[in-house]
Amino acid sequence: EFLFAWRLSDVGGKTLARGEDRRAMDSGDIQRGRLSFDLPDVTARTRLTLRLELRSDDRQAYAEDRDIDVWPDRLPAAPPLGRKIYLLDSTQATATVLEKAGVSFERLDTAAWPVGLDSVVVIGEHAVGSLSGLSESALSSYVEGGGRVLVLAQSRTLAGLPVRTSIEPKEWTSMPFVRTPQHPVLHGVTSWDLKFWNPDHVTARGAYSKPRTGAFITLLDSGGSKGMESVQMMECYRGNGSILLNQLPVIAKYDIE
């Protein structure tokens, strides 16, 4: 007779749930079962441990611990922002998510870029190619003067970038890796958090080619037999400002992931 026992505990070792299942098994037998438990209500990301143990004749035959991260069952509140947000977009999708997240923003006309160091221009998901009048010189001048630009996931490359790169729309990934964990954008984010996003296990559709030269840092990348050549997130610089290129579908999967 075999005894399968499990225990869910918090970081202090307190037992939150437990259970066991006794089975009679022949040599080479395979049996399957299901265990379920309620997760606690948390206000911040919380690490729990699921202990799995198999015993035979009152002796341990196998055991393992699995870490489980539990997240709050509510939308995160937007933190205080140090810069004013301007949105360049041809659809309502990005604006809808920003409103849900409680982020204040203003719509921006392509012909009237902001001036100064207190602003961020967000280019909405898949807006590149559908925005009319988007000027390379206006973009360059804004960034060089200290402006910040966030380019959300695209299927076409934004013209006027300060590095040589392009989007390969067929380069999908399910397992990108954190390359620069000390960057504030990735604070608290691990490579494990970016694997197999729901519901299709795709974390990013399309990736930038990794530049060979220029002022940039890779934040997330993936690869294959040729190396880590695909970039899902990077920051590139011009003058006193920067452009953050992000291919994670944070707008399309906001309500899922």
Side-chain angles (χ1 to χ4, degrees):
E1 185 180 66
F2 287 87
L3 171 65
F4 171 71
W6 60 270
R7 183 172 72 97
L8 182 69
S9 60
D10 62 17
V11 291
K14 178 183 177 181
T15 298
L16 303 177
R18 67 191 316 157
E20 61 180 41
D21 187 9
R22 294 183 180 273
R23 301 284 184 100
M25 299 181 67
D26 296 326
S27 177
D29 191 7
I30 297 177
Q31 296 188 22
R32 294 179 173 86
R34 176 175 295 180
L35 64 89
S36 63
F37 46 83
D38 293 327
L39 294 172
D41 186 25
V42 298
T43 58
R45 182 178 186 172
T46 303
R47 175 66 56 85
L48 304 180
T49 299
L50 180 63
R51 173 74 171 178
L52 307 172
E53 184 178 10
L54 184 66
R55 301 185 67 86
S56 175
D57 298 327
D58 291 326
R59 292 184 300 177
Q60 186 183 84
Y62 179 78
E64 68 175 81
D65 291 334
R66 296 189 178 184
D67 290 334
I68 298 176
D69 284 333
V70 182
W71 296 81
D73 188 21
R74 60 188 64 88
L75 295 176
L81 302 177
R83 290 176 176 242
K84 189 171 183 178
I85 307 298
Y86 292 91
L87 177 62
L88 269 175
D89 202 0
S90 56
T91 70
Q92 186 62 26
T94 301
T96 298
V97 169
L98 292 178
E99 290 167 354
K100 283 184 180 180
V103 176
S104 298
F105 66 94
E106 288 186 15
R107 291 275 190 173
L108 180 66
D109 189 277
T110 54
W113 284 72
V115 178
L117 303 177
D118 61 345
S119 63
V120 176
V121 173
V122 177
I123 298 181
E125 271 195 4
H126 302 292
V128 174
S130 60
L131 289 170
S132 59
L134 185 57
S135 167
E136 291 184 40
S137 61
L139 169 66
S140 298
S141 297
Y142 171 69
V143 175
E144 191 166 338
R148 304 289 181 88
V149 178
L150 169 60
V151 183
L152 297 176
Q154 306 294 330
S155 53
R156 297 178 61 177
T157 309
L158 176 66
L161 295 176
V163 295
R164 292 189 64 179
T165 183
S166 61
I167 291 177
E168 173 47 67
K170 296 182 179 179
E171 190 64 46
W172 293 17
T173 184
S174 297
M175 299 175 62
F177 294 89
V178 174
R179 193 58 55 203
T180 313
Q182 66 270 29
H183 194 284
V185 168
L186 297 174
H187 176 70
V189 177
T190 68
S191 295
W192 179 257
D193 298 324
L194 303 176
K195 298 183 188 303
F196 304 110
W197 277 13
N198 288 319
D200 51 12
H201 291 180
V202 177
T203 309
R205 288 177 169 82
Y208 288 94
S209 57
K210 187 169 290 186
R212 300 302 179 189
T213 60
F216 76 97
I217 55 172
T218 300
L219 304 182
L220 303 176
D221 61 9
S222 63
S225 59
K226 295 182 180 179
M228 308 299 282
E229 294 297 315
S230 299
V231 179
Q232 286 74 39
M233 186 183 296
M234 67 175 159
E235 189 169 40
C236 44
Y237 308 93
R238 169 174 282 147
N240 295 315
S242 65
I243 301 175
L244 183 67
L245 304 172
N246 167 59
Q247 281 299 105
L248 303 184
V250 294
I251 300 301
K253 294 195 174 186
Y254 180 79
D255 292 322
I256 303 171
E257 279 286 346

